[in-house]
């Protein structure tokens, strides 16, 4: 079923998939009566106006700290979430409930709203595909994607629930068994999945940034590769100012149901706050406000869904029945299914990096070679088929160190990257822009030899530029690049005394995003960036 979408009056403001300010594992404040401290998915930031009204009506204030789905599951499972939070509020508890140590720490959930993950395309593209006015299944969608009849953007399934839900949904639908996925079923549909993901031209670590990047490209403000549509929450697509047509696959979807869930360790005061807030949010009037302001469906039967939700009887696809099946599916996605990636790391090794800073850089890179055994670390490691280039710089750029991680037996190459990372030393000045410019010579050769990859640049510096070329020189250089190089996103990492305004300028001109590691570890910033590569 297809639903034509009218542009929204305003865009809902969404934050990135993980907070890039405070460490989300740390408390957001002391436990106090009338306050609920919540570890949440960042898409819930758009509920703030509703929660502001809840304070007036109930006296209950919500303090959010944002994190990704899998990182949040790990914090719950380890018990660290209990040190600073009373409740968790993600788009779904399905993954948490598959992790035994996390499941036993979850209390009774209260479902507040819902939103399926669907495909949005321009009306002209839907008509061109012959999908206007008729039902379309995932198999037909995958075949059209494999023939590159359309392209799309999707979030990283290890960092954001919308991408995770899309991956689970299309795999479950293509398996056609009607039962939960397991390793055998994933292997059976792998060729169709690879066909489907070949059309993905945009990745992101959060649903909000994905939508914003798509809109920038639609307006011609972002130099990146063209992308026809998005796989995202229905609510995000309905919030878009750009007209899209929503495609609801006839064989089913995976729906986010946003359960506000107490942790079993919560105090009696927190339990009472949770009860009052839950009752308020599920009230008919508030449910209508949530539906109107966030474009999510109501969770209570006495409130009828608005006319904008034209497809009411959605088929819910089966979710994998074990953590191993989910983890196997996500690992297969990165190592085998999606288009492989290519990343150039332009790394500041100037004299100001001596001591803890160069140690932090070494640890961040070593973590990406598989040394980080956490759930989030396991999925953010360098993937099979990935090209990794390290370009250390100080007063000038050093020779580029190039690696390609094989799909089978990646360990030897990962060990080579680890050895290189641990040998980095710090000395000299900070020639940021001449070194960054030199990186394009490396990428030009790699792209000419193999153009069909996600390509990005990570720029990490702890200080201001001391080289002969400045940000204006780099901007002029960037403007003269051919489109395939100009569209490579740059992800600057703020560290130490980085020149924030200049890094923002570099990110904007390339369609990238700035990540802040000044108040958290460089490892956490590098892991977050992986969702955008």
């Amino acid at each position: 079923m297809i639903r034509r979408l009218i542009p929204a009056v305003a865009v809902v403001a969404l934050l990135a998939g993980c907070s890039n300010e405070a460490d989300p594992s740390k408390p957001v404040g002391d436990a106090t009566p009338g306050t609920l401290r919540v570890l949440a998915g960042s898409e819930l930031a758009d509920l703030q106006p509703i929660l502001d009204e809840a304070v007036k009506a109930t006296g209950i204030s919500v303090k959010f700290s944002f994190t990704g789905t899998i990182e949040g599951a790990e914090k719950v499972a380890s018990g660290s979430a209990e040190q600073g939070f009373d409740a968790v509020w993600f788009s779904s508890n399905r993954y948490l409930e598959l992790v035994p140590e996390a499941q036993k720490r979850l209390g009774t959930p209260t479902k507040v709203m819902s939103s399926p993950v669907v495909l949005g395309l321009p009306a002209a593209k839907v008509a061109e595909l012959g999908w206007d006015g008729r039902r379309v299944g995932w198999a037909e969608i995958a075949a059209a994607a494999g023939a590159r009849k359309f392209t799309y953007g999707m979030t990283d399934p290890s960092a954001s629930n919308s991408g995770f839900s899309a991956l689970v949904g299309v795999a479950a639908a293509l398996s056609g068994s009607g039962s939960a996925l397991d390793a055998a079923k994933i292997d059976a549909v792998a060729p169709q999945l690879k066909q489907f993901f070949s059309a993905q031209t945009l990745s992101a670590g959060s649903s909000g940034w994905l939508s914003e990047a798509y809109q920038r490209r639609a307006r011609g403000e972002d130099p990146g590769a063209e992308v026809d549509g998005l796989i995202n929450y229905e609510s995000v697509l309905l919030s878009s100012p750009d007209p899209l047509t929503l495609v609801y696959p006839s064989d089913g979807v995976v729906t986010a149901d946003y359960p506000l869930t107490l942790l079993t360790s919560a105090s009696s005061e927190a339990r009472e706050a949770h009860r009052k807030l839950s009752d308020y949010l599920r009230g008919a009037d508030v449910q209508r406000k949530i539906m109107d302001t966030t474009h999510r469906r109501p969770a209570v039967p006495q409130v009828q869904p608005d006319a904008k939700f034209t497809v009411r009887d959605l088929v819910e696809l089966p979710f994998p029945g074990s953590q191993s099946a989910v983890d196997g599916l996500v690992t297969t996605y990165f190592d085998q299914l999606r288009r492989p990636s290519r990343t150039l790391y332009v790394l500041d090794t100037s004299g100001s990096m001596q001591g803890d800073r160069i140690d932090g850089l070494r640890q961040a890179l070593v973590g990406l070679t598989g040394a980080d055994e956490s759930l989030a670390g396991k999925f953010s490691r360098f993937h099979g088929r990935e090209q990794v280039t390290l370009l250390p710089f100080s007063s000038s750029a050093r020779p580029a160190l190039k690696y390609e991680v094989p799909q089978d037996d990646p360990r030897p190459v990962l060990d080579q990257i680890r050895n290189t990372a641990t040998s980095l030393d710090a000395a000299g000045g900070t020639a940021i822009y001449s070194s960054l410019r030199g990186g394009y010579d490396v990428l030009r050769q790699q792209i000419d030899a193999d153009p069909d990859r996600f390509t990005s640049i990570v720029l990490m510096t702890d200080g201001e530029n001391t080289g002969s070329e400045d940000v204006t020189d780099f901007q002029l250089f960037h403007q003269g690049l051919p489109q395939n190089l100009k569209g490579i996103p740059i992800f600057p990492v703020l560290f130490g005394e980085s020149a924030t305004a200049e890094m923002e300028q570099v990110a904007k001109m390339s369609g990238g995003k700035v990540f802040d590691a000044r108040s958290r570890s460089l490892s956490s910033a590098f892991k977050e960036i992986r969702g955008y590569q």
Side-chain angles (χ1 to χ4, degrees), residues 2-44:
I2 296 171
R3 195 264 185 198
R4 184 136 302 132
L5 173 64
I6 304 300
V9 175
V11 184
V12 177
L14 297 174
L15 301 182
C18 300
S19 170
N20 58 9
E21 298 174 354
D23 182 344
S25 68
K26 295 180 179 179
V28 292
D30 294 332
T32 56
T35 298
L36 200 63
R37 302 169 301 168
V38 180
L39 183 63
S42 63
E43 61 266 30
L44 291 169

Side-chain angles (χ1 to χ4, degrees), residues 391-414:
L391 185 65
F393 73 90
S394 51
S395 300
S396 61
R398 302 181 190 179
L401 304 164
K402 306 172 187 177
Y403 307 91
E404 183 157 350
V405 182
Q407 181 176 316
D408 300 317
D409 192 23
R411 189 70 264 160
V413 173
L414 293 176

Side-chain angles (χ1 to χ4, degrees), residues 173-225:
L174 291 177
S175 74
S177 66
S179 58
L181 284 170
D182 56 25
K185 291 172 186 170
I186 293 168
D187 289 342
V189 298
Q192 285 176 285
L193 288 172
K194 189 169 185 177
Q195 186 182 48
F196 175 70
F197 289 116
S198 70
Q200 184 184 356
T201 58
L202 176 63
S203 182
S206 78
S207 299
W209 192 87
L210 180 76
S211 180
E212 292 165 3
Y214 173 78
Q215 292 161 24
R216 288 194 301 270
R217 293 191 186 186
R219 295 191 297 266
E221 299 171 1
D222 187 322

Side-chain angles (χ1 to χ4, degrees), residues 319-331:
F319 200 78
S322 68
Q323 183 187 354
S324 61
V326 174
D327 292 353
L329 179 59
V330 175
T331 299

